[in-house]
Amino acid sequence: MRGFLASSIGVTCAAALALPLTLPSSGARAATPNAASVPAVESASGAVPGSTQSLRLTPLDSGRALRAGPSREQGLLRREVRPFSLVGVIWDDPDAELHGSVQVRTRGSGTGIWSSWQDLETHNHEHAADPDAAERISGKVRGSTAPLWVGDSDGVEIRVRAEPERPGSERPGSERPGSERPGSEQSQHRAVAALPPESPLPKGLRLELVDPGAEPPPQGSPVGGIGTPLTAETAAASAVNADLAPLGAAVIPALGKEETESDLIAAHGGAEEAAGKVRPHIGPRPRIITRKGWGANERLREKDFAYTKSVKAAFVHHSASGNNYRCSQAGSLLRSIYRYHVRSSGWRDFGYNFAVDKCGNIYEGRAGGVAKPVLGAHTLGFNTHSMGIAVLGSFGSANPPKAAVKAIARLTAWKLGLYGANPRGTTYLKSGGGNLYRKGTKVRLRVISGHRDGFATACPGIRLYKKLGTARSTSARYQGR
């Protein structure tokens, strides 16, 4: 069966391969199958592709700091470093916000040409696990900016500046944050941010320079005359999709609407029980590039998978990583963000459930199975019973490509259809806590929402947000509504 019926490949962990409607309850975890339960061969080298350089920032206004208190500007002067392609800034306390600006310049590898100053998105804490989630309280999570893709580089300069003090302003906590729904992106950022603390910049600022590593070999490519082996971790991440594609597949193929419908009917009791019933509202399964396909190193993430009960809504995001990438570089960008999420920010895995590039390609995100209700870390307060889709790019001032909007529609038509959700409808989710809705509040949201609908933030960028109406109607049409 080509749908999402459980396969019989011998994986011992039934929870990891169960049907979407029978997965573990919210917060439950399914253990990764061990090496004996999947046909895997461990890599002989044990090397982890890619790397991260972590450089501590220092005061750039040291003379002034000695006279006037803590430094309001930190950074690094121009320096040569090992090759990297993505940058970000992290700090010790995940609850502290960086109130100010972060700008970076980079030198292209082999060219010696320095870029102009580029801004990093500093308001990134709303892309995270819920406040009480095990991932959030693990003690590993750090504060972080959004990552920025800069391409092949071997030199860097950075400056972090605290925003100016505002005399006479009220201290944080004197009013409820997010009590208004501002219109502009700048005002949304102000709604998110409290006033600067006594220390103008968070403690422990570090610059993270991420090298995504080499592209994975094409599927089936021989290495030393032998097919590329799967590590135990890679086999486990692939096994949860084995009812949709062969073990170790780089791509889950598209499926026609009639075949997708038939598989869903079979999963709910078979064709005989479905006789005389209307066909389900579900879009054809789109082509999805797997984690194996984009080269995810499964040794970076936590070994087990985390699930919620269902998928009632989809939150659309932008990665805020810039638009200066080619679609052929999307795998490198994903590997960089994945490494930044796990190694730099301290998350258990890639934050989003899916990613979409500017050409409309769809990618598997957080491990656990594309048809299953995998618990993500994308919309602070609303990760339960939802999924997160990140469009790779920044769409505050740039229009999202039509191919990307169409991909959102294709993906949601299928994934929401597995759980009976109408893309044009609304649903209720319980807030896990945020700056718009207090913990425990039942909130009515669109089934396809923007990140800003659940949290006062600029994400997914006003230009992409305005396209969600098109995505909803197109997705519903794909479902046959």
Side-chain angles (χ1 to χ4, degrees), residues 42-411:
E42 288 287 1
S43 169
S45 68
V48 178
S51 63
T52 302
Q53 301 171 70
S54 186
L55 308 176
R56 184 173 296 278
L57 303 190
T58 58
L60 296 179
D61 56 355
S62 56
R64 180 185 181 279
L66 291 173
R67 298 189 303 272
S71 172
R72 303 190 62 83
E73 183 174 7
Q74 295 186 33
L76 294 171
L77 300 179
R78 286 190 184 189
R79 63 179 59 198
E80 183 174 346
V81 293
R82 297 193 306 273
F84 67 96
S85 296
L86 179 138
V87 303
V89 172
I90 62 170
W91 52 91
D92 297 339
D93 184 358
D95 294 322
E97 284 205 61
L98 198 165
H99 302 281
S101 64
V102 178
Q103 294 182 310
V104 66
R105 299 179 66 189
T106 57
R107 186 181 67 185
S109 295
T111 68
I113 298 175
W114 285 86
S115 72
S116 57
W117 287 105
Q118 300 183 76
D119 293 309
L120 276 69
E121 175 55 69
T122 60
H123 298 284
N124 190 52
H125 76 287
E126 62 267 26
H127 301 80
D130 290 345
D132 294 334
E135 180 173 2
R136 175 69 179 183
I137 61 177
S138 66
K140 301 177 183 178
V141 179
R142 291 176 283 275
S144 61
T145 67
L148 178 68
W149 176 260
V150 294
D152 295 341
S153 304
D154 59 11
V156 68
E157 181 180 7
I158 184 171
R159 60 192 184 195
V160 179
R161 292 172 173 168
E163 65 183 20
E165 295 184 30
R166 289 172 287 174
S169 298
E170 296 182 18
R171 298 300 303 167
S174 61
E175 57 185 6
R176 185 174 68 88
S179 58
E180 297 180 352
R181 296 293 300 273
S184 70
E185 299 214 356
Q186 288 296 323
S187 59
Q188 289 223 8
H189 284 323
R190 295 191 192 102
V192 176
L195 296 177
E198 292 182 6
S199 178
L201 291 172
K203 295 181 180 179
L205 289 172
R206 302 188 73 92
L207 173 64
E208 303 289 287
L209 304 176
V210 182
D211 170 21
E215 291 294 324
Q219 190 170 13
S221 297
V223 177
I226 303 175
T228 305
L230 300 179
T231 66
E233 296 87 354
T234 299
S238 181
V240 286
N241 290 319
D243 43 350
L244 308 180
L247 191 69
V251 172
I252 295 171
L255 202 63
K257 182 170 175 58
E258 185 174 345
E259 294 171 294
T260 304
E261 291 174 351
S262 297
D263 283 352
L264 182 58
I265 289 172
H268 283 273
E272 291 184 4
E273 288 189 22
K277 295 183 180 179
V278 296
R279 304 291 288 183
H281 291 295
I282 186 171
R285 188 180 75 204
R287 176 180 181 269
I288 302 173
I289 299 170
T290 65
R291 290 170 64 93
K292 177 68 163 57
W294 56 263
N297 188 291
E298 302 298 348
R299 294 181 178 180
L300 291 179
R301 62 171 175 83
E302 290 190 15
K303 289 185 178 181
D304 57 348
F305 307 131
Y307 297 98
T308 181
K309 287 184 178 179
S310 184
V311 179
K312 299 170 64 176
F315 286 98
V316 177
H317 305 255
H318 66 173
S319 63
S321 51
N323 302 316
N324 190 28
Y325 73 94
R326 301 184 301 275
C327 292
S328 61
Q329 296 175 310
S332 294
L333 175 53
L334 287 168
R335 292 195 304 278
S336 298
I337 295 175
Y338 171 42
R339 175 174 278 275
Y340 183 71
H341 281 177
V342 177
R343 286 291 174 89
S344 300
S345 302
W347 300 1
R348 73 187 317 273
D349 193 357
F350 188 82
Y352 308 102
N353 298 100
F354 296 93
V356 172
D357 71 21
K358 62 175 67 175
C359 293
N361 296 304
I362 299 171
Y363 301 85
E364 178 183 15
R366 180 163 288 205
V370 297
K372 305 181 191 302
V374 177
L375 181 66
H378 49 84
T379 306
L380 182 65
F382 291 102
N383 291 300
T384 300
H385 300 159
S386 72
M387 69 175 186
I389 304 169
V391 181
L392 300 177
S394 302
F395 302 106
S397 58
N399 288 322
K402 291 181 180 180
V405 177
K406 185 177 180 180
I408 294 171
R410 289 188 290 116
L411 175 58

Side-chain angles (χ1 to χ4, degrees), residues 424-437:
R424 279 199 297 243
T426 59
T427 190
Y428 283 91
L429 296 178
K430 182 182 291 187
S431 173
N435 66 356
L436 279 180
Y437 303 103

